[in-house]
Amino acid sequence: MVDRPGTAAPPSGRWPWPAGLLLSLIPTSALAHASDRGHVLLLPTGHYIIGGALAVAASFLVLLLVRPETLERLAAGRLTIGPAPDALRLPLSLLSFLVLAILVLAGVFGSRDPLSNPLSLTIWTLLWVGLTLLQGLLGNLWSWINPWYGPHRIASALLGKSVDAPPLRLPAWAGLWPAVVLFLGFAWFELIDPAPEDPLRLAWAVGGYWLFNFAMMLLFGFEAWAGRCEFLSVFFGMVARFGVVGREDDEKVSLRLPSARLLQTPALALSSTVFLLFTLASVSFDGLSRTFFWFALNGLNPLEFPGRTALIAINGVGLAIACVLLALVFFACVFLGEKLAGTRRHFAVTAGTFVWSIVPIALAYHFSHYLTVLLVNSQYALVAFSDPFSLGWDLFGTAHMPVRAAVAAGSDSAWVIWNAQAAAIVGGHVLAVLVAHMLAYRLHGTARAATLSQLPLTILMIAYTVLGLWLLSTPTAA
């Protein structure tokens, strides 16, 4: 999708440089570009920001009055739907691979306009925006449509190799560090590369990424590589734990309250914790890098956008700082919280447990940050799917469908969108406080120790609420 300039309105005031560093800490889980956000400047954003911060703070105080046993019973409740239809996994994966191959061909031979090419619209809108939200609602759909699973099974059968006995084995010390490296490469391409939306450029990147991971899966096995190295599978698996639909230990599919499964997940290893934090930081920086504040901080005129090529070095350094800074601040809050609680636990285990509480914030900010993108660009995708190669086809009867950009424009739409965004941000942070409190109670065993351990993280979450709403409302230059 195409970056679009925000409303050209001057900033209302100058922020000190430490605020820029803090702004890079706003967490979110998805990686896509947002469209215009200037219309929210017409709304009383100050009231929303203050109200949101007070709501998150109040949720922490309310938890002091609620018995942990009550929350435990709510989290344990489930409604069983039935057995998981595992037989569909292979055909769905093969269908997904076929669709991906067609999309890559469309990227090579189709329109060079990102808003007319189905590859660009699928990757940046339907995958990163739409599928991430579905994962957070319906569980791990990616495991059923993973485009490597089916081809790997077939290739292993043709080569006469067992899928359970790959030629090589990943060492335990590698953890999820390969996924961290692959994600950082992807983040650089998505946020720093001059033209990530260009269909031809994107087709080479997507095709090369698929082939590389397919080769690694043949060497190390699908489950090992997808579970620890292929960052899409790792990321979607983490996000899916928020969902109300999911598979239980007894292989049954059931319904649970949002975030309930986060309370039953084991602590992440250090590499996994860093991976999750880096994914949040990267999209936080995506939002920050287009604000008037960021341009002014780097001595650039936001009304004379110089293009992404001129910002490669600046944004590259900014992305690295954002990732490292978020990790350091999170680890510092966890360390300080454990000191206040007076407990002596392995720090990596504690951090790996509490990092799950950031998933609700990530999904909430993902929804808020990219809502207008999903509303508008999904319509362009319907048009592009009917004529993927720009040959005048109308495969699904949508090739000439008018795109209604007014769904995200105008005062009425602005009011609805902003309230939905603000509600998601505040609601996500309230859920995060709840999850963190429950995880702390399970770790420490007493309400007092759990409360003390969560004070620094709660302050950080309140800051995220304020900064998240500010980032949604501030004018952008590109």
Side-chain angles (χ1 to χ4, degrees), residues 128-154:
W128 286 115
V129 181
L131 184 58
T132 301
L133 292 177
L134 287 177
Q135 289 276 125
L137 178 65
L138 301 177
N140 199 359
L141 299 175
W142 176 255
S143 65
W144 301 93
I145 62 174
N146 189 308
W148 286 282
Y149 175 77
H152 176 265
R153 301 273 304 190
I154 292 177

Short mmCIF file of all heavy atoms in Angstrom, two decimals, residues 128-154:
data_model
loop_
_atom_site.label_atom_id
_atom_site.label_comp_id
_atom_site.label_asym_id
_atom_site.label_seq_id
_atom_site.Cartn_x
_atom_site.Cartn_y
_atom_site.Cartn_z
N TRP A 128 -0.87 -8.35 6.94
CA TRP A 128 -0.37 -7.71 8.14
C TRP A 128 -1.45 -7.04 8.97
O TRP A 128 -1.35 -6.95 10.19
CB TRP A 128 0.71 -6.69 7.80
CG TRP A 128 1.98 -7.35 7.42
CD1 TRP A 128 2.59 -7.33 6.20
CD2 TRP A 128 2.80 -8.16 8.26
NE1 TRP A 128 3.74 -8.07 6.24
CE2 TRP A 128 3.90 -8.60 7.48
CE3 TRP A 128 2.72 -8.58 9.58
CZ2 TRP A 128 4.89 -9.41 7.99
CZ3 TRP A 128 3.71 -9.39 10.09
CH2 TRP A 128 4.79 -9.79 9.29
N VAL A 129 -2.47 -6.54 8.29
CA VAL A 129 -3.54 -5.89 9.04
C VAL A 129 -4.67 -6.87 9.34
O VAL A 129 -4.98 -7.17 10.48
CB VAL A 129 -4.08 -4.67 8.27
CG1 VAL A 129 -5.18 -3.99 9.07
CG2 VAL A 129 -2.96 -3.69 7.97
N GLY A 130 -5.28 -7.40 8.27
CA GLY A 130 -6.46 -8.24 8.45
C GLY A 130 -6.19 -9.55 9.16
O GLY A 130 -6.89 -9.90 10.11
N LEU A 131 -5.18 -10.29 8.72
CA LEU A 131 -4.93 -11.61 9.31
C LEU A 131 -4.47 -11.50 10.75
O LEU A 131 -4.83 -12.33 11.59
CB LEU A 131 -3.91 -12.38 8.47
CG LEU A 131 -3.63 -13.81 8.96
CD1 LEU A 131 -4.92 -14.63 8.98
CD2 LEU A 131 -2.59 -14.49 8.09
N THR A 132 -3.70 -10.49 11.08
CA THR A 132 -3.27 -10.33 12.47
C THR A 132 -4.47 -10.11 13.38
O THR A 132 -4.55 -10.67 14.47
CB THR A 132 -2.29 -9.16 12.60
OG1 THR A 132 -1.16 -9.40 11.77
CG2 THR A 132 -1.84 -8.98 14.04
N LEU A 133 -5.43 -9.30 12.94
CA LEU A 133 -6.63 -9.09 13.74
C LEU A 133 -7.45 -10.37 13.86
O LEU A 133 -7.99 -10.68 14.92
CB LEU A 133 -7.48 -7.98 13.12
CG LEU A 133 -6.87 -6.57 13.18
CD1 LEU A 133 -7.77 -5.57 12.47
CD2 LEU A 133 -6.62 -6.14 14.62
N LEU A 134 -7.54 -11.13 12.77
CA LEU A 134 -8.26 -12.40 12.82
C LEU A 134 -7.56 -13.40 13.75
O LEU A 134 -8.21 -14.16 14.46
CB LEU A 134 -8.41 -12.99 11.42
CG LEU A 134 -9.40 -12.29 10.49
CD1 LEU A 134 -9.39 -12.94 9.12
CD2 LEU A 134 -10.81 -12.32 11.08
N GLN A 135 -6.23 -13.39 13.71
CA GLN A 135 -5.48 -14.26 14.62
C GLN A 135 -5.80 -13.92 16.08
O GLN A 135 -5.94 -14.79 16.92
CB GLN A 135 -3.97 -14.09 14.40
CG GLN A 135 -3.45 -14.66 13.10
CD GLN A 135 -3.15 -16.14 13.19
OE1 GLN A 135 -3.65 -16.93 12.42
NE2 GLN A 135 -2.31 -16.51 14.13
N GLY A 136 -5.90 -12.62 16.35
CA GLY A 136 -6.19 -12.19 17.71
C GLY A 136 -7.62 -12.46 18.12
O GLY A 136 -7.93 -12.40 19.31
N LEU A 137 -8.49 -12.77 17.17
CA LEU A 137 -9.88 -13.06 17.48
C LEU A 137 -10.19 -14.55 17.40
O LEU A 137 -10.84 -15.12 18.30
CB LEU A 137 -10.81 -12.29 16.53
CG LEU A 137 -12.31 -12.53 16.69
CD1 LEU A 137 -12.78 -12.02 18.05
CD2 LEU A 137 -13.09 -11.85 15.56
N LEU A 138 -9.72 -15.19 16.34
CA LEU A 138 -10.12 -16.57 16.05
C LEU A 138 -9.01 -17.59 16.28
O LEU A 138 -9.15 -18.75 15.89
CB LEU A 138 -10.61 -16.67 14.60
CG LEU A 138 -11.81 -15.77 14.25
CD1 LEU A 138 -12.15 -15.90 12.77
CD2 LEU A 138 -13.00 -16.08 15.13
N GLY A 139 -7.91 -17.20 16.87
CA GLY A 139 -6.85 -18.16 17.13
C GLY A 139 -5.91 -18.32 15.95
O GLY A 139 -5.89 -17.50 15.02
N ASN A 140 -5.14 -19.39 15.95
CA ASN A 140 -4.04 -19.55 15.00
C ASN A 140 -4.52 -20.06 13.63
O ASN A 140 -4.30 -21.21 13.25
CB ASN A 140 -2.98 -20.49 15.56
CG ASN A 140 -1.65 -20.33 14.85
OD1 ASN A 140 -1.52 -19.53 13.92
ND2 ASN A 140 -0.67 -21.08 15.29
N LEU A 141 -5.18 -19.19 12.87
CA LEU A 141 -5.59 -19.53 11.51
C LEU A 141 -4.38 -19.77 10.61
O LEU A 141 -4.46 -20.54 9.65
CB LEU A 141 -6.45 -18.40 10.93
CG LEU A 141 -7.76 -18.08 11.66
CD1 LEU A 141 -8.42 -16.88 11.03
CD2 LEU A 141 -8.69 -19.28 11.65
N TRP A 142 -3.27 -19.10 10.91
CA TRP A 142 -2.08 -19.23 10.09
C TRP A 142 -1.59 -20.67 10.03
O TRP A 142 -1.05 -21.10 9.02
CB TRP A 142 -0.98 -18.31 10.63
CG TRP A 142 0.33 -18.43 9.93
CD1 TRP A 142 1.45 -19.06 10.37
CD2 TRP A 142 0.66 -17.91 8.63
NE1 TRP A 142 2.47 -18.96 9.46
CE2 TRP A 142 2.01 -18.26 8.37
CE3 TRP A 142 -0.03 -17.18 7.68
CZ2 TRP A 142 2.66 -17.89 7.19
CZ3 TRP A 142 0.60 -16.82 6.50
CH2 TRP A 142 1.94 -17.18 6.27
N SER A 143 -1.75 -21.42 11.09
CA SER A 143 -1.29 -22.80 11.09
C SER A 143 -2.02 -23.64 10.05
O SER A 143 -1.50 -24.66 9.59
CB SER A 143 -1.47 -23.43 12.48
OG SER A 143 -2.85 -23.52 12.82
N TRP A 144 -3.23 -23.22 9.65
CA TRP A 144 -4.00 -23.96 8.66
C TRP A 144 -3.68 -23.53 7.24
O TRP A 144 -3.83 -24.31 6.29
CB TRP A 144 -5.50 -23.78 8.91
CG TRP A 144 -5.91 -24.23 10.26
CD1 TRP A 144 -6.01 -23.49 11.40
CD2 TRP A 144 -6.24 -25.57 10.65
NE1 TRP A 144 -6.39 -24.26 12.46
CE2 TRP A 144 -6.54 -25.55 12.03
CE3 TRP A 144 -6.31 -26.78 9.96
CZ2 TRP A 144 -6.90 -26.68 12.73
CZ3 TRP A 144 -6.67 -27.91 10.66
CH2 TRP A 144 -6.96 -27.86 12.03
N ILE A 145 -3.26 -22.28 7.08
CA ILE A 145 -3.00 -21.77 5.73
C ILE A 145 -1.53 -21.49 5.49
O ILE A 145 -1.18 -20.83 4.50
CB ILE A 145 -3.83 -20.49 5.47
CG1 ILE A 145 -3.42 -19.37 6.44
CG2 ILE A 145 -5.32 -20.78 5.57
CD1 ILE A 145 -4.07 -18.03 6.15
N ASN A 146 -0.68 -21.97 6.37
CA ASN A 146 0.76 -21.77 6.20
C ASN A 146 1.22 -22.28 4.84
O ASN A 146 1.06 -23.46 4.53
CB ASN A 146 1.50 -22.52 7.32
CG ASN A 146 2.98 -22.20 7.35
OD1 ASN A 146 3.66 -22.28 6.35
ND2 ASN A 146 3.47 -21.85 8.53
N PRO A 147 1.77 -21.43 3.98
CA PRO A 147 2.10 -21.84 2.60
C PRO A 147 3.33 -22.72 2.48
O PRO A 147 3.71 -23.09 1.36
CB PRO A 147 2.32 -20.50 1.89
CG PRO A 147 2.81 -19.58 2.97
CD PRO A 147 2.07 -20.00 4.22
N TRP A 148 3.97 -23.07 3.60
CA TRP A 148 5.12 -23.98 3.56
C TRP A 148 4.75 -25.40 3.97
O TRP A 148 5.42 -26.35 3.57
CB TRP A 148 6.22 -23.47 4.50
CG TRP A 148 6.96 -22.28 3.99
CD1 TRP A 148 7.94 -22.26 3.04
CD2 TRP A 148 6.78 -20.92 4.41
NE1 TRP A 148 8.38 -20.97 2.84
CE2 TRP A 148 7.69 -20.13 3.67
CE3 TRP A 148 5.96 -20.29 5.35
CZ2 TRP A 148 7.79 -18.75 3.84
CZ3 TRP A 148 6.05 -18.93 5.51
CH2 TRP A 148 6.95 -18.18 4.77
N TYR A 149 3.72 -25.56 4.76
CA TYR A 149 3.40 -26.88 5.32
C TYR A 149 3.11 -27.91 4.23
O TYR A 149 3.72 -28.99 4.20
CB TYR A 149 2.22 -26.76 6.27
CG TYR A 149 1.74 -28.08 6.81
CD1 TYR A 149 2.44 -28.74 7.82
CD2 TYR A 149 0.59 -28.70 6.31
CE1 TYR A 149 2.01 -29.96 8.32
CE2 TYR A 149 0.15 -29.92 6.80
CZ TYR A 149 0.87 -30.54 7.80
OH TYR A 149 0.44 -31.76 8.28
N GLY A 150 2.17 -27.61 3.35
CA GLY A 150 1.80 -28.56 2.30
C GLY A 150 2.95 -28.88 1.35
O GLY A 150 3.25 -30.06 1.11
N PRO A 151 3.61 -27.87 0.79
CA PRO A 151 4.76 -28.15 -0.09
C PRO A 151 5.86 -28.95 0.60
O PRO A 151 6.50 -29.79 -0.02
CB PRO A 151 5.24 -26.75 -0.49
CG PRO A 151 4.02 -25.92 -0.43
CD PRO A 151 3.24 -26.44 0.74
N HIS A 152 6.09 -28.70 1.89
CA HIS A 152 7.10 -29.45 2.62
C HIS A 152 6.72 -30.91 2.73
O HIS A 152 7.56 -31.81 2.58
CB HIS A 152 7.31 -28.85 4.00
CG HIS A 152 8.28 -29.61 4.85
ND1 HIS A 152 7.88 -30.58 5.76
CD2 HIS A 152 9.64 -29.59 4.92
CE1 HIS A 152 8.93 -31.09 6.35
NE2 HIS A 152 10.02 -30.50 5.87
N ARG A 153 5.47 -31.19 3.01
CA ARG A 153 5.01 -32.58 3.12
C ARG A 153 5.19 -33.31 1.79
O ARG A 153 5.66 -34.45 1.74
CB ARG A 153 3.54 -32.61 3.52
CG ARG A 153 3.22 -31.94 4.82
CD ARG A 153 3.36 -32.82 6.01
NE ARG A 153 2.57 -34.03 5.96
CZ ARG A 153 2.42 -34.84 7.00
NH1 ARG A 153 3.01 -34.52 8.15
NH2 ARG A 153 1.72 -35.95 6.91
N ILE A 154 4.81 -32.65 0.71
CA ILE A 154 4.91 -33.28 -0.61
C ILE A 154 6.37 -33.48 -1.00
O ILE A 154 6.76 -34.55 -1.49
CB ILE A 154 4.17 -32.44 -1.66
CG1 ILE A 154 2.66 -32.47 -1.38
CG2 ILE A 154 4.47 -32.93 -3.06
CD1 ILE A 154 1.85 -31.62 -2.32
#
